[in-house]
Amino acid sequence: MTTPHPPRPRFVLSVGVIGHRPDRLPEGMQPRIAREIAETLAAIRAEALSAYGRYTDCFAESAPRLALVTALAEGTDRMAAKSAIVLGFDLETPLPFVAEEYEKDFESHDSKASFRGLLSRACTVLELGGNRAHEGRSYEAAGLVVLDMADILVAAWDGGAARGRGGTVELVAEAGRRGMPVVRVDVSGSAPPRLHWRGLGDRHTAPLRIEDHPAATLESALAAAIEAQIRPPQNPVERDGLDRYLAERRRWVTASVEYPLLMLLLGVRWPRLGDILSPQPEKLANALSEFGSAQSAIGAAFGWADSVAARFAQVFRSAMITNFLVSAVAVLVGVMSLAYPLSAIELVLVFFLVLNAFIGHSRRWHHRWIESREVAERLRAAAPMHTLATRAPGPFGAATTWPAWYVRAVSREAGLRGGRLDDEALASALAALRKLVSGQAAYHETTARRFQRLHDRLAMAGQILFVAALILAAGTFAGKAFHLFTATAEMSRWIILASASFPALASASYGIRLIGDFEGAAKRSGRMRGQLSALASALQKGSSDFESLRDRAHEASDVMLGDVATWRLAAESRELAMPG
């Protein structure tokens, strides 16, 4: 379905649950533990809906969704799942093995029936396809998926040491290391549930042990923790950028063609249909089809961001080129006005320069390009991670920029993927990740070559114009000094015009190179090609097991987003301005 604006993310908040199985839950305390878990989920639900009400305008009209991410093990997981269903949460269930194998963990008929009943109520089930030969590793994988998919964690923990790999103790420690908000339910009953979260203090790094994190009662701290997870940036500039992006409209034609025409003039590349007909979001979303994301929240948001970014990149570059060339023409007309009545034309050209720069600034062409490009690249990196049931880590606090907030909200909306990550599915994910990384490496190779060629030819044009100006000046001087010729009045006017036009056009060439930063872009793309090519080679030789693939997906994300950060830092300093 086509939409007139970029999609607003649906409000989603995911709560992960981990905790002990019955053998570590004191039998007499289990009713209290179940009650405290239910009360905690009810409090999270109330605070989440309250926060949603304050920022409704940033989200889609769809009803807000709360999700509980749990592996449905006996004990804590099922206590939470039963309460969550009553409270209207959706169940998202990652299983360490295929369901039939995982069911063997539960000995009694009642336990198996309870597992099947809850599993049938889950809106999403992901079977990780672990094996008993590496049982601890399989439990750990499912637990890490719970952490990756959650915005806040509820952990029923006795405070004791770990008894095996992938258990509650290890996962609580990992949550603390990430800086997640963790609600600890004390299974001994010696204290009410408390929120442990780095955001409650002023520490920049997360303490190693969850007990060392700042802690507070739910009544005093839960609202702030949830608010921080879902609140859009409150900085007026960032909020204006978000509102402007969400109001972007579908465009069918891009009228600004100066940039592709300059590349044609310099022999860099031939014009393409996409230079005039704006690429449509639905078509661009297909770039993520290998990950099954083309029709998902991630794909739809990516298609729009990529379309907006491509359009404003061309609009901004075309406006920049026009300003420098018109400035050069204005100089020529100013010189010619000494002999001809061209002052009105000069006035019109100067007025156009001022107007073009004013419109570019007021409509924020430059920022709209940079911000939408950041959104697109963040979502491109999110697609393979979503396929592998992971997300970019944190930050578990208020987002400082609207692109970071928007991408995090879209990733939440996408939620846990369903299906089975068996050997065949993992091999398919590996092939898709290879294709993405190799495709990005090829893109950067082409971009580096094209921008270097554009830079070199602009530099050559400027040098030729300056040399021509030098030759003309030297010839005129020699002609006058040695009486080699006598210039007519008309010839003198043309000599003056050429003497002014060559340096003016050469300066325009330099300005286009400076603001366009084509050489810098070529070098950055060259470095990216090297990094991505190395990663592509590693993927060719690498394993397709779940843990390795998740690691490679995060590595690809780090490389691509590192490039975005470097590019944004360089691009932000090159605003559209009037030459002078």
Side-chain angles (χ1 to χ4, degrees):
M1 182 180 71
T2 59
T3 56
H5 305 288
R8 295 172 186 264
R10 183 181 181 183
F11 178 90
V12 176
L13 186 76
S14 297
V15 181
V17 171
I18 59 173
H20 297 309
R21 296 195 182 196
D23 62 330
R24 286 187 71 166
L25 299 177
E27 188 171 348
M29 295 299 298
Q30 291 187 20
R32 175 174 176 167
I33 295 167
R35 184 178 70 252
E36 290 185 343
I37 290 174
E39 290 171 350
T40 297
L41 293 177
I44 291 173
R45 179 180 184 276
E47 295 296 349
L49 295 180
S50 175
Y52 166 68
R54 292 190 288 275
Y55 307 112
T56 307
D57 59 321
C58 296
F59 294 98
E61 295 181 358
S62 307
R65 186 173 83 91
L66 300 174
L68 187 85
V69 189
T70 171
L72 294 180
E74 293 173 315
T76 303
D77 288 5
R78 295 189 192 175
M79 292 178 185
K82 291 172 183 177
S83 296
I85 290 172
V86 173
L87 291 167
F89 283 70
D90 289 338
L91 289 186
E92 296 185 343
T93 305
L95 304 179
F97 312 102
V98 296
E100 295 79 8
E101 180 61 33
Y102 187 40
E103 192 177 297
K104 296 176 184 178
D105 278 17
F106 319 127
E107 295 181 359
S108 72
H109 174 76
D110 288 346
S111 180
K112 293 179 188 292
S114 174
F115 170 71
R116 293 171 191 159
L118 290 171
L119 193 65
S120 69
R121 300 290 298 273
C123 68
T124 304
V125 177
L126 176 63
E127 299 170 296
L128 295 181
N131 62 77
R132 294 291 181 181
H134 303 285
E135 191 173 73
R137 196 180 213 173
S138 300
Y139 292 132
E140 179 182 79
L144 290 175
V145 170
V146 171
L147 297 190
D148 285 351
M149 293 293 110
D151 303 304
I152 186 169
L153 186 69
V154 176
W157 176 37
D158 61 10
R163 294 184 183 175
R165 183 170 180 176
T168 300
V169 180
E170 287 191 347
L171 294 174
V172 166
E174 173 62 15
R177 187 191 66 79
R178 296 182 181 192
M180 290 183 72
V182 178
V183 177
R184 179 185 173 186
V185 176
D186 187 348
V187 303
S188 69
S190 60
R194 290 175 65 80
L195 177 69
H196 297 255
W197 181 39
R198 181 180 62 189
L200 298 177
D202 58 1
R203 292 196 59 164
H204 176 68
T205 58
L208 292 177
R209 296 176 63 85
I210 194 68
E211 307 97 296
D212 295 332
H213 284 242
T217 62
L218 299 190
E219 291 80 5
S220 64
L222 186 60
I226 291 177
E227 170 94 0
Q229 305 308 308
I230 61 94
R231 183 184 68 199
Q234 296 303 290
N235 180 296
V237 174
E238 292 296 327
R239 185 56 194 267
D240 178 68
L242 174 61
D243 292 342
R244 191 185 291 270
Y245 177 74
L246 294 175
E248 295 287 2
R249 300 189 63 84
R250 183 184 296 272
R251 295 287 188 269
W252 300 99
V253 175
T254 302
S256 303
V257 295
E258 295 92 327
Y259 175 59
L261 286 178
L262 177 67
M263 289 195 289
L264 172 64
L265 179 65
L266 296 176
V268 175
R269 75 162 173 83
W270 288 96
R272 299 179 301 209
L273 192 60
D275 294 331
I276 299 175
L277 300 181
S278 298
Q280 295 304 297
E282 294 78 17
K283 182 177 181 180
L284 295 174
N286 288 328
L288 304 183
S289 61
E290 295 291 330
F291 302 103
S293 300
Q295 306 303 320
S296 73
I298 291 175
F302 167 79
W304 264 99
D306 202 25
S307 176
V308 171
R311 177 160 55 89
F312 279 110
Q314 185 164 317
V315 167
F316 171 77
R317 285 170 172 157
S318 292
M320 175 265 296
I321 290 166
T322 296
N323 267 12
F324 280 107
L325 292 180
V326 170
S327 177
V329 173
V331 170
L332 307 186
V333 172
V335 172
M336 292 176 65
S337 65
L338 298 174
Y340 301 101
L342 300 177
S343 298
I345 296 177
E346 182 182 8
L347 180 63
V348 169
L349 291 173
V350 173
F351 176 76
F352 175 81
L353 282 173
V354 174
L355 181 64
N356 196 39
F358 174 77
I359 292 174
H361 277 287
S362 63
R363 295 186 178 178
R364 293 174 59 84
W365 290 339
H366 189 228
H367 292 280
R368 288 158 85 176
W369 166 36
I370 291 172
E371 291 166 346
S372 54
R373 176 50 58 201
E374 180 181 346
V375 171
E377 297 313 312
R378 283 178 178 269
L379 289 168
R380 192 195 305 274
M385 289 195 286
H386 179 255
T387 296
L388 294 163
T390 185
R391 294 194 303 206
F396 294 97
T400 56
T401 67
W402 78 258
W405 176 86
Y406 182 81
V407 172
R408 188 165 69 177
V410 170
S411 297
R412 282 190 183 128
E413 181 183 359
L416 178 69
R417 63 152 293 179
R420 179 177 291 182
L421 279 176
D422 54 15
D423 291 344
E424 182 179 352
L426 290 173
S428 176
L430 174 59
L433 186 57
R434 284 173 179 163
K435 184 175 180 180
L436 172 68
V437 172
S438 298
Q440 286 295 292
Y443 164 80
H444 281 287
E445 182 176 10
T446 300
T447 299
R449 185 169 57 248
R450 180 176 297 153
F451 279 156
Q452 189 62 54
R453 187 182 303 152
L454 182 56
H455 169 84
D456 292 344
R457 294 187 181 180
L458 281 167
M460 183 183 297
Q463 291 166 3
I464 290 172
L465 288 166
F466 272 124
V467 169
L470 178 63
I471 293 172
L472 181 61
T476 302
F477 174 78
K480 290 181 178 180
F482 299 104
H483 307 288
L484 299 178
F485 63 87
T486 301
T488 65
E490 185 68 18
M491 182 183 298
S492 295
R493 284 195 289 269
W494 282 107
I495 289 173
I496 293 171
L497 176 62
S499 298
S501 64
F502 291 164
L505 290 171
S507 296
S509 169
Y510 173 75
I512 292 170
R513 284 191 291 126
L514 180 67
I515 302 301
D517 190 31
F518 301 117
E519 185 175 39
K523 289 179 178 178
R524 288 191 296 274
S525 280
R527 286 194 297 269
M528 274 296 292
R529 183 202 63 78
Q531 293 180 59
L532 290 168
S533 295
L535 180 56
S537 297
L539 285 168
Q540 290 291 341
K541 304 170 186 175
S543 170
S544 63
D545 67 90
F546 182 60
E547 183 179 0
S548 297
L549 275 179
R550 281 163 55 93
D551 185 59
R552 292 301 187 189
H554 279 276
E555 183 181 357
S557 173
D558 290 344
V559 170
M560 289 190 287
L561 297 187
D563 172 63
V564 171
T566 303
W567 167 77
R568 178 165 184 166
L569 186 64
E572 281 182 325
S573 64
R574 290 173 166 80
E575 281 271 16
L576 181 65
M578 292 181 292

